[in-house]
Amino acid sequence: MNRLKKLKKIRLHREGTEILIASALLLAGINALVFWAFDCKILFYLLATASIIIYLLMVNFFRCPIRLFEHDTEKVVVAPADGRIVVIEEVDEHEYFHDRRLMISIFMSIVNVHANWYPVDGVVKHVDHHNGKFMKAWLPKASTENERSMVVIETPEGHTVMARQIAGAIARRIVTYAEVGEDCYIDEHMGFIKFGSRVDVYLPLGTEVCVKMGQATVGNETVIAKLK
């Protein structure tokens, strides 16, 4: 019964609609061509099996579970993505803050949900996109050298938080919905990254960290930090 309820809360993200339709037509066309072109059907059966597996992986990638944060959001920072904590450290941030910040990074593998949520409630103060490389997302240089988008949010308490979406070796498109001046809330989608990637969250020094290295995160559910 609980599993059925969870399944009812899962839908496909709109970013995958065109890709899934085009892929279905392409795979169906290739399989039909192979079926009619070869008398030996073993090749067709092998191709059909591979096509089904590939398509199911794509559907799995674009799944978008409906999640609502059921606790008080004051001074709370939630995980903006599903994945695993790969960095918790103080760093010098040079693109916006130009000072020292606490960075918490979440790496998303290709099997994770790739929708991104706002990590805090607040007002969007800055949105920017930088073209760059497509190195493996878990590498330290990926934060500043890979293609990336940043969203800077000012919380109701006056804290400034940045969420940076980073493309990976496979990810080739970052989608960001945030617009400067709009209110944003935990529970809302900030964007989507197509295929393996990473999200960094930059927080004020002194922020209480609520996760540890290697810990799995659930987007819009796992509390990763608490602002002072």
Side-chain angles (χ1 to χ4, degrees):
M1 188 64 181
N2 289 333
R3 180 172 176 78
L4 182 60
K5 288 181 179 179
K6 288 182 179 179
L7 289 173
K8 287 182 177 180
K9 290 184 178 181
I10 294 178
R11 57 185 177 180
L12 294 179
H13 200 281
R14 66 177 185 264
E15 295 297 337
T17 303
E18 292 183 3
I19 292 177
L20 291 175
I21 292 174
S23 298
L25 293 174
L26 178 62
L27 290 173
I30 293 174
N31 279 271
L33 181 63
V34 171
F35 180 82
W36 294 110
F38 298 94
D39 292 331
C40 178
K41 300 307 178 187
I42 294 178
L43 179 61
F44 166 73
Y45 293 133
L46 292 174
L47 180 61
T49 301
S51 298
I52 291 171
I53 293 172
I54 292 171
Y55 194 74
L56 288 177
L57 287 173
M58 293 178 66
V59 170
N60 180 70
F61 174 82
F62 284 109
R63 71 195 188 281
C64 184
I66 300 171
R67 295 173 184 163
L68 297 176
F69 189 73
E70 299 179 350
H71 308 286
D72 184 10
T73 61
E74 184 178 358
K75 298 185 179 181
V76 166
V77 184
V78 300
D82 287 15
R84 192 168 297 279
I85 301 291
V86 293
V87 176
I88 303 173
E89 64 181 9
E90 292 184 11
V91 298
D92 293 316
E93 200 290 310
H94 298 292
E95 291 185 341
Y96 181 83
F97 294 113
H98 303 286
D99 63 11
R100 200 156 180 81
R101 293 271 153 169
L102 171 66
M103 182 176 75
I104 300 177
S105 298
I106 299 171
F107 173 73
M108 294 173 282
S109 75
I110 199 169
V111 298
N112 288 128
V113 170
H114 272 56
N116 299 151
W117 286 263
Y118 287 107
V120 293
D121 291 339
V123 178
V124 178
K125 306 299 290 184
H126 182 81
V127 179
D128 201 2
H129 180 86
H130 296 270
N131 294 324
K133 300 177 182 178
F134 294 96
M135 296 185 293
K136 294 176 181 178
W138 61 79
L139 296 175
K141 290 185 178 180
S143 289
T144 54
E145 295 187 16
N146 276 20
E147 181 157 340
R148 59 202 179 277
S149 290
M150 69 168 73
V151 178
V152 180
I153 304 163
E154 184 176 307
T155 71
E157 298 79 31
H159 297 291
T160 307
V161 173
M162 179 201 292
R164 178 179 283 156
Q165 300 169 284
I166 302 167
I170 300 176
R172 297 286 161 165
R173 188 184 175 200
I174 298 173
V175 181
T176 305
Y177 306 135
E179 295 184 6
V180 175
E182 71 178 5
D183 293 333
C184 62
Y185 302 95
I186 289 172
D187 288 344
E188 292 182 336
H189 282 164
M190 180 180 71
F192 193 95
I193 310 179
K194 296 184 178 181
F195 304 104
S197 41
R198 165 178 167 176
V199 179
D200 295 343
V201 181
Y202 291 83
L203 303 164
L205 296 182
T207 297
E208 178 187 351
V209 177
C210 301
V211 288
K212 58 185 178 181
M213 288 290 294
Q215 180 177 332
T217 62
V218 178
N220 204 51
E221 288 188 8
T222 303
V223 175
I224 61 172
K226 292 183 179 179
L227 300 166
K228 297 296 185 179

